[in-house]
């Protein structure tokens, strides 16, 4: 089951015509990912400042389907597709009123802030992510 959350399209997220400014989507995506981790009790603040770990995105593939406009409510569905030793593959589908607005495939890798090398998922983080892990679609 995906992690779901809704976010409004704010005035500051739009260009002068009221259409979503695409870089604002990336900021929203960060907020959504952060909220997903918080949903299982692990804050990014804790990960970064207490555990000294990072969560950089290493790949990002966005596809825009149709524009969102000021006042729309964007519904995010974050699908955990795979959890590796230190990697996390996500697919996020963003809809407005049931219509797909944009999608993104993303790989995040947990790293040590000391040396910026990959670091295995801590057990509690892996357990939380597993809550949203979906069966593979590979045949």
């Amino acid at each position: 089951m995906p992690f779901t959350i809704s976010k409004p399209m704010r005035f500051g997220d739009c260009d002068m015509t009221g259409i979503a400014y695409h870089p604002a989507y990336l900021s929203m995506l960060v907020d959504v990912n952060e909220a997903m981790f918080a949903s299982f009790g692990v804050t990014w603040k804790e990960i970064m400042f207490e555990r000294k770990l990072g969560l950089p995105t290493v790949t990002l593939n966005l596809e825009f389907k149709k524009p969102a406009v000021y006042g729309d409510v964007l519904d995010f569905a974050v699908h955990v597709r795979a959890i590796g030793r230190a990697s996390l593959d996500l697919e996020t589908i963003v809809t407005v009123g049931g219509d797909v607005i944009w999608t993104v495939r993303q790989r995040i890798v947990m790293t040590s802030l000391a040396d910026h090398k990959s670091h295995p998922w801590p057990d509690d983080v892996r357990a939380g992510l597993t809550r949203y892990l979906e069966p593979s679609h590979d045949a």
Side-chain angles (χ1 to χ4, degrees):
M1 172 168 46
F3 169 75
T4 59
I5 190 170
S6 297
K7 297 186 76 55
M9 204 70 233
R10 300 169 309 162
F11 179 77
D13 297 328
C14 300
D15 64 19
M16 291 177 52
T17 67
I19 295 174
Y21 182 55
H22 70 275
Y25 285 153
L26 295 176
S27 181
M28 288 178 162
L29 182 64
V30 170
D31 290 347
V32 167
N33 289 344
E34 187 174 358
M36 181 180 68
F37 278 71
S39 76
F40 54 80
V42 180
T43 67
W44 279 17
K45 181 179 180 184
E46 175 189 341
I47 289 171
M48 290 182 230
F49 296 110
E50 294 173 24
R51 300 187 193 198
K52 307 294 188 212
L53 298 168
L55 294 163
T57 293
V58 297
T59 60
L60 194 65
N61 183 2
L62 285 100
E63 185 174 347
F64 301 107
K65 305 283 189 175
K66 59 192 312 189
V69 297
Y70 176 55
D72 281 347
V73 175
L74 281 64
D75 297 314
F76 291 78
V78 182
H79 301 266
V80 174
R81 298 297 188 201
I83 305 169
R85 183 188 74 82
S87 65
L88 175 64
D89 291 342
L90 303 175
E91 179 180 17
T92 303
I93 300 168
V94 185
T95 59
V96 171
D99 293 331
V100 176
I101 302 301
W102 56 281
T103 62
V104 59
R105 290 182 182 267
Q106 178 182 21
R107 175 168 283 173
I108 295 171
V109 174
M110 176 155 274
T111 61
S112 164
L113 294 182
D115 61 12
H116 303 288
K117 293 183 180 178
S118 68
H119 183 281
W121 293 107
D123 291 341
D124 62 331
V125 177
R126 178 179 290 281
L129 293 169
T130 300
R131 162 190 298 182
Y132 300 113
L133 182 63
E134 297 186 12
S136 175
H137 296 295
D138 298 335

